[in-house]
Amino acid sequence: MRETLRELIKRNSRKPMLELLKEGAYLSFNEDSYSRSYCENHCPYQYVEYRWDCEGNCRNWEDSLKDGQREVYGADILIGEVLRNGYQVLGISGINEPLMSDSSRPYADLYWDDAYNGEEGICAKCQYYGSAKCPEDILSEKCLRHEDVWAIENITEAVNEVLAWNM
């Protein structure tokens, strides 16, 4: 399942920027953490005793940061599909199941503040939203959208794996 998600994210990230920007931004991209990791792994001065010679912002760093952002946009496309049409639209077995996150350094994360938004978030179009039947926990099995939430969690985990492999 994760391999399929990673492939979809990579494929989406190669779409024209105009198409990538049409989708909402569901994930936040921690550019500072990503940049630090990239520099730690690719800086030509990493083995020099005094690293202040490294200015960062080298061409490779800028390209890597752009590629990372494109991959986050690629994941946003998948999340948008899940929010509009449900996890089934992706046709990936097991995507709707809980996971244990193994990302030691997440570079992308969901804006959870927006998740409970009844107009645009995960709760959008839910028949129980705002009623006594709403469990008020989107990860609860009582929530009608909990499988979509787990799919989004799996997409988030997959994009973090893609970003980590770029290091």
Side-chain angles (χ1 to χ4, degrees):
M1 167 203 42
R2 282 275 179 75
E3 188 173 326
T4 305
L5 280 173
R6 289 190 301 264
E7 289 171 9
L8 286 172
I9 290 167
K10 293 295 265 181
R11 186 175 341 136
N12 283 346
S13 72
R14 291 188 290 268
K15 291 181 178 183
M17 188 57 86
L18 188 60
E19 193 173 335
L20 289 173
L21 294 175
K22 282 183 184 177
E23 189 61 60
Y26 303 106
L27 297 173
S28 62
F29 180 43
N30 188 337
E31 292 179 358
D32 291 338
S33 177
Y34 187 78
S35 297
R36 270 193 306 279
S37 294
Y38 184 83
C39 286
E40 287 171 8
N41 292 318
H42 298 284
C43 180
Y45 297 104
Q46 66 183 327
Y47 299 112
V48 175
E49 188 173 334
Y50 300 103
R51 290 184 56 178
W52 58 71
D53 291 337
C54 183
E55 298 172 8
N57 297 331
C58 61
R59 175 129 175 88
N60 293 341
W61 171 83
E62 289 175 3
D63 290 345
S64 175
L65 190 60
K66 288 176 188 174
D67 291 344
Q69 184 64 65
R70 290 180 70 88
E71 287 160 353
V72 172
Y73 291 152
D76 281 338
I77 289 173
L78 295 178
I79 291 171
E81 283 293 317
V82 169
L83 289 174
R84 283 187 298 279
N85 304 308
Y87 73 91
Q88 303 89 336
V89 73
L90 298 180
I92 301 173
S93 177
I95 194 171
N96 60 324
E97 297 173 4
L99 76 141
M100 295 302 290
S101 176
D102 56 359
S103 287
S104 59
R105 194 183 310 194
Y107 301 113
D109 202 6
L110 186 68
Y111 290 124
W112 281 105
D113 293 345
D114 297 337
Y116 291 92
N117 183 326
E119 295 177 20
E120 299 172 354
I122 293 167
C123 298
K125 301 177 189 170
C126 178
Q127 63 190 27
Y128 292 158
Y129 181 74
S131 74
K133 292 183 179 182
C134 178
E136 296 183 9
D137 177 7
I138 56 179
L139 294 173
S140 165
E141 286 189 20
K142 294 177 183 176
C143 177
L144 297 178
R145 308 275 325 253
H146 78 277
E147 291 178 306
D148 292 341
V149 175
W150 285 116
I152 292 168
E153 284 287 307
N154 277 294
I155 292 167
T156 304
E157 188 72 17
V159 76
N160 278 308
E161 289 173 359
V162 168
L163 292 168
W165 287 344
N166 290 346
M167 297 297 136

PDB file of all heavy atoms in Angstrom, residues 8 78-92 95 148:
ATOM      1  N   LEU A   8       2.098   7.263  -6.431  1.00  0.00           N
ATOM      2  CA  LEU A   8       1.082   8.259  -6.795  1.00  0.00           C
ATOM      3  C   LEU A   8       1.547   9.673  -6.446  1.00  0.00           C
ATOM      4  O   LEU A   8       1.347  10.610  -7.222  1.00  0.00           O
ATOM      5  CB  LEU A   8      -0.243   7.957  -6.089  1.00  0.00           C
ATOM      6  CG  LEU A   8      -1.048   6.782  -6.615  1.00  0.00           C
ATOM      7  CD1 LEU A   8      -2.228   6.487  -5.704  1.00  0.00           C
ATOM      8  CD2 LEU A   8      -1.525   7.041  -8.034  1.00  0.00           C
ATOM      9  N   LEU A  78      -3.979  13.972  -3.590  1.00  0.00           N
ATOM     10  CA  LEU A  78      -4.598  12.726  -3.107  1.00  0.00           C
ATOM     11  C   LEU A  78      -5.544  12.997  -1.942  1.00  0.00           C
ATOM     12  O   LEU A  78      -6.642  12.427  -1.872  1.00  0.00           O
ATOM     13  CB  LEU A  78      -3.519  11.734  -2.676  1.00  0.00           C
ATOM     14  CG  LEU A  78      -2.595  11.213  -3.771  1.00  0.00           C
ATOM     15  CD1 LEU A  78      -1.551  10.285  -3.170  1.00  0.00           C
ATOM     16  CD2 LEU A  78      -3.374  10.508  -4.860  1.00  0.00           C
ATOM     17  N   ILE A  79      -5.141  13.863  -1.035  1.00  0.00           N
ATOM     18  CA  ILE A  79      -5.993  14.190   0.115  1.00  0.00           C
ATOM     19  C   ILE A  79      -7.274  14.866  -0.363  1.00  0.00           C
ATOM     20  O   ILE A  79      -8.368  14.561   0.132  1.00  0.00           O
ATOM     21  CB  ILE A  79      -5.226  15.071   1.125  1.00  0.00           C
ATOM     22  CG1 ILE A  79      -4.117  14.249   1.785  1.00  0.00           C
ATOM     23  CG2 ILE A  79      -6.176  15.642   2.181  1.00  0.00           C
ATOM     24  CD1 ILE A  79      -3.161  15.044   2.639  1.00  0.00           C
ATOM     25  N   GLY A  80      -7.162  15.755  -1.319  1.00  0.00           N
ATOM     26  CA  GLY A  80      -8.357  16.395  -1.881  1.00  0.00           C
ATOM     27  C   GLY A  80      -9.327  15.383  -2.465  1.00  0.00           C
ATOM     28  O   GLY A  80     -10.542  15.486  -2.286  1.00  0.00           O
ATOM     29  N   GLU A  81      -8.786  14.389  -3.168  1.00  0.00           N
ATOM     30  CA  GLU A  81      -9.636  13.321  -3.734  1.00  0.00           C
ATOM     31  C   GLU A  81     -10.361  12.560  -2.626  1.00  0.00           C
ATOM     32  O   GLU A  81     -11.550  12.269  -2.737  1.00  0.00           O
ATOM     33  CB  GLU A  81      -8.790  12.344  -4.557  1.00  0.00           C
ATOM     34  CG  GLU A  81      -8.404  12.858  -5.908  1.00  0.00           C
ATOM     35  CD  GLU A  81      -9.606  13.022  -6.824  1.00  0.00           C
ATOM     36  OE1 GLU A  81     -10.484  12.137  -6.862  1.00  0.00           O
ATOM     37  OE2 GLU A  81      -9.671  14.057  -7.500  1.00  0.00           O
ATOM     38  N   VAL A  82      -9.644  12.251  -1.551  1.00  0.00           N
ATOM     39  CA  VAL A  82     -10.250  11.519  -0.429  1.00  0.00           C
ATOM     40  C   VAL A  82     -11.343  12.368   0.216  1.00  0.00           C
ATOM     41  O   VAL A  82     -12.430  11.859   0.523  1.00  0.00           O
ATOM     42  CB  VAL A  82      -9.178  11.107   0.609  1.00  0.00           C
ATOM     43  CG1 VAL A  82      -9.815  10.599   1.886  1.00  0.00           C
ATOM     44  CG2 VAL A  82      -8.243  10.055   0.016  1.00  0.00           C
ATOM     45  N   LEU A  83     -11.082  13.648   0.417  1.00  0.00           N
ATOM     46  CA  LEU A  83     -12.079  14.520   1.044  1.00  0.00           C
ATOM     47  C   LEU A  83     -13.330  14.668   0.185  1.00  0.00           C
ATOM     48  O   LEU A  83     -14.447  14.713   0.706  1.00  0.00           O
ATOM     49  CB  LEU A  83     -11.482  15.895   1.337  1.00  0.00           C
ATOM     50  CG  LEU A  83     -10.463  15.945   2.468  1.00  0.00           C
ATOM     51  CD1 LEU A  83      -9.835  17.321   2.561  1.00  0.00           C
ATOM     52  CD2 LEU A  83     -11.108  15.564   3.793  1.00  0.00           C
ATOM     53  N   ARG A  84     -13.159  14.744  -1.110  1.00  0.00           N
ATOM     54  CA  ARG A  84     -14.318  14.924  -2.003  1.00  0.00           C
ATOM     55  C   ARG A  84     -15.079  13.628  -2.254  1.00  0.00           C
ATOM     56  O   ARG A  84     -16.304  13.624  -2.334  1.00  0.00           O
ATOM     57  CB  ARG A  84     -13.866  15.504  -3.344  1.00  0.00           C
ATOM     58  CG  ARG A  84     -13.569  16.975  -3.309  1.00  0.00           C
ATOM     59  CD  ARG A  84     -13.298  17.533  -4.695  1.00  0.00           C
ATOM     60  NE  ARG A  84     -12.127  16.935  -5.323  1.00  0.00           N
ATOM     61  CZ  ARG A  84     -10.874  17.297  -5.089  1.00  0.00           C
ATOM     62  NH1 ARG A  84     -10.617  18.253  -4.222  1.00  0.00           N
ATOM     63  NH2 ARG A  84      -9.868  16.707  -5.705  1.00  0.00           N
ATOM     64  N   ASN A  85     -14.340  12.520  -2.405  1.00  0.00           N
ATOM     65  CA  ASN A  85     -14.968  11.288  -2.894  1.00  0.00           C
ATOM     66  C   ASN A  85     -14.805  10.074  -1.984  1.00  0.00           C
ATOM     67  O   ASN A  85     -15.284   9.004  -2.326  1.00  0.00           O
ATOM     68  CB  ASN A  85     -14.394  10.952  -4.275  1.00  0.00           C
ATOM     69  CG  ASN A  85     -14.556  12.085  -5.248  1.00  0.00           C
ATOM     70  OD1 ASN A  85     -15.650  12.600  -5.420  1.00  0.00           O
ATOM     71  ND2 ASN A  85     -13.468  12.506  -5.862  1.00  0.00           N
ATOM     72  N   GLY A  86     -14.107  10.204  -0.882  1.00  0.00           N
ATOM     73  CA  GLY A  86     -13.885   9.075   0.015  1.00  0.00           C
ATOM     74  C   GLY A  86     -12.628   8.304  -0.368  1.00  0.00           C
ATOM     75  O   GLY A  86     -12.141   8.387  -1.496  1.00  0.00           O
ATOM     76  N   TYR A  87     -12.100   7.560   0.586  1.00  0.00           N
ATOM     77  CA  TYR A  87     -10.840   6.829   0.384  1.00  0.00           C
ATOM     78  C   TYR A  87     -10.938   5.787  -0.729  1.00  0.00           C
ATOM     79  O   TYR A  87      -9.951   5.435  -1.350  1.00  0.00           O
ATOM     80  CB  TYR A  87     -10.374   6.177   1.685  1.00  0.00           C
ATOM     81  CG  TYR A  87     -11.202   4.972   2.066  1.00  0.00           C
ATOM     82  CD1 TYR A  87     -10.832   3.697   1.653  1.00  0.00           C
ATOM     83  CD2 TYR A  87     -12.358   5.103   2.822  1.00  0.00           C
ATOM     84  CE1 TYR A  87     -11.596   2.595   1.981  1.00  0.00           C
ATOM     85  CE2 TYR A  87     -13.122   4.008   3.160  1.00  0.00           C
ATOM     86  CZ  TYR A  87     -12.738   2.757   2.740  1.00  0.00           C
ATOM     87  OH  TYR A  87     -13.491   1.653   3.062  1.00  0.00           O
ATOM     88  N   GLN A  88     -12.140   5.298  -1.005  1.00  0.00           N
ATOM     89  CA  GLN A  88     -12.320   4.253  -2.006  1.00  0.00           C
ATOM     90  C   GLN A  88     -11.882   4.688  -3.396  1.00  0.00           C
ATOM     91  O   GLN A  88     -11.481   3.871  -4.212  1.00  0.00           O
ATOM     92  CB  GLN A  88     -13.791   3.789  -2.069  1.00  0.00           C
ATOM     93  CG  GLN A  88     -14.359   3.287  -0.776  1.00  0.00           C
ATOM     94  CD  GLN A  88     -14.979   4.394   0.074  1.00  0.00           C
ATOM     95  OE1 GLN A  88     -14.654   5.573  -0.040  1.00  0.00           O
ATOM     96  NE2 GLN A  88     -15.884   3.992   0.965  1.00  0.00           N
ATOM     97  N   VAL A  89     -11.940   5.996  -3.670  1.00  0.00           N
ATOM     98  CA  VAL A  89     -11.601   6.509  -4.996  1.00  0.00           C
ATOM     99  C   VAL A  89     -10.147   6.194  -5.364  1.00  0.00           C
ATOM    100  O   VAL A  89      -9.831   6.061  -6.545  1.00  0.00           O
ATOM    101  CB  VAL A  89     -11.891   8.031  -5.088  1.00  0.00           C
ATOM    102  CG1 VAL A  89     -10.881   8.849  -4.310  1.00  0.00           C
ATOM    103  CG2 VAL A  89     -11.934   8.481  -6.526  1.00  0.00           C
ATOM    104  N   LEU A  90      -9.284   6.036  -4.382  1.00  0.00           N
ATOM    105  CA  LEU A  90      -7.878   5.737  -4.666  1.00  0.00           C
ATOM    106  C   LEU A  90      -7.667   4.273  -5.033  1.00  0.00           C
ATOM    107  O   LEU A  90      -6.679   3.937  -5.675  1.00  0.00           O
ATOM    108  CB  LEU A  90      -6.991   6.115  -3.476  1.00  0.00           C
ATOM    109  CG  LEU A  90      -6.989   7.600  -3.105  1.00  0.00           C
ATOM    110  CD1 LEU A  90      -6.080   7.833  -1.910  1.00  0.00           C
ATOM    111  CD2 LEU A  90      -6.578   8.464  -4.277  1.00  0.00           C
ATOM    112  N   GLY A  91      -8.596   3.408  -4.626  1.00  0.00           N
ATOM    113  CA  GLY A  91      -8.503   1.997  -4.983  1.00  0.00           C
ATOM    114  C   GLY A  91      -7.287   1.290  -4.405  1.00  0.00           C
ATOM    115  O   GLY A  91      -6.734   0.394  -5.032  1.00  0.00           O
ATOM    116  N   ILE A  92      -6.879   1.673  -3.205  1.00  0.00           N
ATOM    117  CA  ILE A  92      -5.703   1.077  -2.567  1.00  0.00           C
ATOM    118  C   ILE A  92      -6.155   0.310  -1.333  1.00  0.00           C
ATOM    119  O   ILE A  92      -6.705   0.884  -0.390  1.00  0.00           O
ATOM    120  CB  ILE A  92      -4.678   2.153  -2.170  1.00  0.00           C
ATOM    121  CG1 ILE A  92      -4.227   2.926  -3.405  1.00  0.00           C
ATOM    122  CG2 ILE A  92      -3.492   1.536  -1.453  1.00  0.00           C
ATOM    123  CD1 ILE A  92      -3.339   4.112  -3.090  1.00  0.00           C
ATOM    124  N   ILE A  95      -5.629   1.247   2.827  1.00  0.00           N
ATOM    125  CA  ILE A  95      -5.349   2.670   3.050  1.00  0.00           C
ATOM    126  C   ILE A  95      -6.198   3.251   4.175  1.00  0.00           C
ATOM    127  O   ILE A  95      -5.830   4.232   4.803  1.00  0.00           O
ATOM    128  CB  ILE A  95      -5.531   3.488   1.757  1.00  0.00           C
ATOM    129  CG1 ILE A  95      -4.906   4.875   1.933  1.00  0.00           C
ATOM    130  CG2 ILE A  95      -6.985   3.564   1.348  1.00  0.00           C
ATOM    131  CD1 ILE A  95      -4.830   5.687   0.669  1.00  0.00           C
ATOM    132  N   ASP A 148     -11.689   7.683   6.054  1.00  0.00           N
ATOM    133  CA  ASP A 148     -11.067   8.727   5.235  1.00  0.00           C
ATOM    134  C   ASP A 148      -9.904   9.368   5.999  1.00  0.00           C
ATOM    135  O   ASP A 148      -8.866   9.684   5.419  1.00  0.00           O
ATOM    136  CB  ASP A 148     -12.079   9.801   4.840  1.00  0.00           C
ATOM    137  CG  ASP A 148     -13.136   9.286   3.876  1.00  0.00           C
ATOM    138  OD1 ASP A 148     -12.911   8.247   3.224  1.00  0.00           O
ATOM    139  OD2 ASP A 148     -14.207   9.924   3.783  1.00  0.00           O
TER     140      ASP A 148
END
